[in-house]
Amino acid sequence: ESQIMLGVLARDRSDHAAAGRRFHEATRFNPEYSVPWMLLGEQQAAVGDTSGAMASLRAALKLAPNNRDAAAILARLSPRI
């Protein structure tokens, strides 16, 4: 959880690279915890990594299907057909 907190602090300072590294590290420490996946996806979306963001958000939703925040960001990123 310290990686998540450090990632949030970096994100709040607009240090997108550091935030992304911290959230990615948090997914490696505990891959079954949905929160770092959602935060990583949110961060990836913020820097324009749409495909990475969609993959991370899908991972978050696989672990926590009722995560409305992850679902909303994924819906926003999904191409309209």
Side-chain angles (χ1 to χ4, degrees):
E1 294 202 7
S2 63
Q3 294 298 319
I4 294 172
M5 292 174 64
L6 291 169
V8 169
L9 290 171
R11 180 195 64 195
D12 291 348
R13 290 190 322 268
S14 297
D15 187 347
H16 300 292
R21 283 192 306 273
R22 296 295 186 170
F23 295 143
H24 185 264
E25 193 65 24
T27 66
R28 290 179 49 199
F29 282 134
N30 190 353
E32 300 302 314
Y33 184 38
S34 68
V35 171
W37 286 109
M38 199 241 2
L39 292 170
L40 177 59
E42 185 178 52
Q43 187 62 35
Q44 290 166 317
V47 298
D49 179 6
T50 303
S51 62
M54 291 176 74
S56 295
L57 293 164
R58 286 186 184 116
L61 287 168
K62 182 177 179 183
L63 296 167
N66 295 325
N67 185 326
R68 290 187 212 159
D69 293 330
I73 297 166
L74 185 60
R76 189 181 79 232
L77 295 174
S78 295
R80 305 286 181 229
I81 299 176

